[in-house]
Amino acid sequence: MPLLDKFVVVNLSKGFVLALIVTLLVLSAMLIQPFLQYVLGAVLLAYVLYPLQIRLEAYVSPMVAALSLVILAVSGFVAPLVVVLGTVVDSADRVLEDFDTDPVQIEMIESRIEELTGQEVDITGELVSSGREIGTIVFERSTQAFGTITFHLIGIALALFLVYYLLKDGDDLVNWLHRTVPLPMDSQRDLYIEINDVMWGVLFGHVFVAIVQGVVAGVGLVVTGVPNALFWTAVMIVLAMVPLVGAIPVWGGAVVYLYLTGEPLLAAGLFVYSVIVVGLTDDYLRPFAVDRYAKLNPAVILLGILGGAYAFGIMGLFFGPVVLGALKAALRVGLDNWSQLDESDIG
């Protein structure tokens, strides 16, 4: 075969394989996209549990270890989460009930606002109007309720299966990545170490710190007698994952609520407690975790969290900063690798 014809055949083969890979990647992304939240959740849970999987495999088979950890995750995380969510939903319902069953308190708040601002406010009317609008939206979107419930049940089952197989076959997956990624082993090792640091930095610096901050702030709500403290604690945990926002909107609103309901001492106490105690969890724990592990600029983390929430939903609060941190690590490793290749060519 002439050299030119052989060159053309080789290029056509490479082009066909590349086009096939791209096509299959697009189709695979389309298959994963509907369950993306559950896939990302499974990856996160498996990542957290994998160190335990390694330890358990010293005593039992990988299958038994993975199954045990899945059962542990369901009993220790999923089941309590369902209970908490149910309680939060019930508390959210009682938020409106409290306003309906205590008209004297509503009138007191309205009078206080009118004294301070000179503006007449109809809190009950606004709540009823908002409630009707929300009810209309919920009703319109609940026509496919059965299909939605079925979808989420399938998603949860899929996530549990993925966690099981990610734990059970984790070593095979790591070995496959080592064989597939076209980088020297030293470069791959550096890349995986940096991504691992980013993962744990974001996990501890935002998820764990947000839980601590939300719970600590929630204690202040309980002690000062703020209604539906559990519901607002859950809200603060979610808000605490967002830098520059944190739990301030909730505990700040609670301070205003206590002041307007004639409890200035409790309002002042909650304000001091929140600024000092709750603030310490954010001022010390978060920078410690992020600076030690993730080593990302706060602006990059903020962009990752907000952009990740829009791109990936609730799981984007975690994976957004991880993606940007992984990009940073990949660029550094890639540039180092290219520099080594250039030096070898020169040599």
Side-chain angles (χ1 to χ4, degrees):
M1 179 181 295
L3 182 61
L4 180 60
D5 292 341
K6 185 176 181 180
F7 177 77
V8 171
V9 170
V10 170
N11 282 340
L12 285 175
S13 299
K14 290 182 177 179
F16 173 78
V17 171
L18 180 61
L20 179 62
I21 291 174
V22 171
T23 302
L24 293 176
L25 282 174
V26 172
L27 293 175
S28 298
M30 293 173 63
L31 292 174
I32 295 173
Q33 195 277 331
F35 298 98
L36 181 61
Q37 292 292 317
Y38 297 99
V39 172
L40 293 177
V43 171
L44 175 60
L45 187 56
Y47 180 81
V48 173
L49 295 176
Y50 191 68
L52 293 177
Q53 173 75 15
I54 298 299
R55 295 187 178 184
L56 287 177
E57 287 183 4
Y59 305 98
V60 297
S61 66
M63 182 179 67
V64 173
L67 183 60
S68 301
L69 289 176
V70 170
I71 295 174
L72 175 66
V74 172
S75 60
F77 176 76
V78 177
L81 179 62
V82 172
V83 174
V84 171
L85 288 177
T87 306
V88 167
V89 171
D90 182 62
S91 299
D93 291 336
R94 288 203 300 269
V95 170
L96 293 179
E97 292 178 3
D98 290 342
F99 280 102
D100 292 336
T101 57
D102 196 356
V104 176
Q105 191 177 59
I106 294 177
E107 292 176 2
M108 183 188 305
I109 295 175
E110 291 175 346
S111 300
R112 187 62 174 164
I113 292 176
E114 187 174 357
E115 291 176 6
L116 294 174
T117 64
Q119 300 292 327
E120 185 176 349
V121 179
D122 183 9
I123 296 178
T124 304
E126 293 295 332
L127 286 175
V128 170
S129 176
S130 300
R132 288 175 180 172
E133 294 179 3
I134 294 173
T136 302
I137 295 173
V138 171
F139 178 77
E140 292 175 351
R141 295 189 179 185
S142 63
T143 55
Q144 303 296 330
F146 179 77
T148 301
I149 294 173
T150 303
F151 170 79
H152 288 300
L153 290 176
I154 293 174
I156 293 173
L158 172 64
L160 293 177
F161 273 108
L162 286 175
V163 171
Y164 170 77
Y165 283 107
L166 285 172
L167 292 173
K168 175 178 172 291
D169 301 325
D171 291 338
D172 295 336
L173 176 61
V174 172
N175 292 332
W176 177 80
L177 288 174
H178 283 311
R179 295 193 306 268
T180 305
V181 176
L183 286 174
M185 287 303 299
D186 291 342
S187 298
Q188 287 194 45
R189 191 176 301 109
D190 292 342
L191 178 62
Y192 298 147
I193 288 174
E194 288 204 27
I195 293 177
N196 181 71
D197 289 343
V198 172
M199 291 278 283
W200 282 110
V202 173
L203 182 64
F204 181 77
H206 294 284
V207 179
F208 176 74
V209 173
I211 293 174
V212 172
Q213 185 177 0
V215 171
V216 171
V219 171
L221 300 186
V222 173
V223 172
T224 54
V226 175
N228 306 292
L230 181 60
F231 169 75
W232 295 117
T233 298
V235 174
M236 285 189 290
I237 290 175
V238 175
L239 292 178
M241 295 185 189
V242 183
L244 305 180
V245 177
I248 295 177
V250 175
W251 66 252
V255 169
V256 174
Y257 166 82
L258 290 172
Y259 178 76
L260 293 176
T261 53
E263 299 289 352
L265 292 180
L266 290 178
L270 179 60
F271 177 80
V272 173
Y273 171 83
S274 300
V275 170
I276 297 177
V277 179
V278 178
L280 287 176
T281 62
D282 191 69
D283 294 338
Y284 288 94
L285 286 180
R286 195 188 302 272
F288 170 77
V290 175
D291 292 343
R292 181 174 179 178
Y293 295 101
K295 297 181 177 65
L296 291 176
N297 187 280
V300 175
I301 293 176
L302 178 62
L303 175 62
I305 289 175
L306 298 181
Y310 277 98
F312 306 129
I314 188 66
M315 295 305 300
L317 294 174
F318 172 80
F319 281 97
V322 170
V323 169
L324 294 181
L327 173 62
K328 174 188 173 184
L331 289 173
R332 189 193 65 78
V333 171
L335 291 174
D336 290 344
N337 187 59
W338 290 332
S339 299
Q340 293 175 4
L341 290 176
D342 291 341
E343 290 176 359
S344 62
D345 292 339
I346 294 174

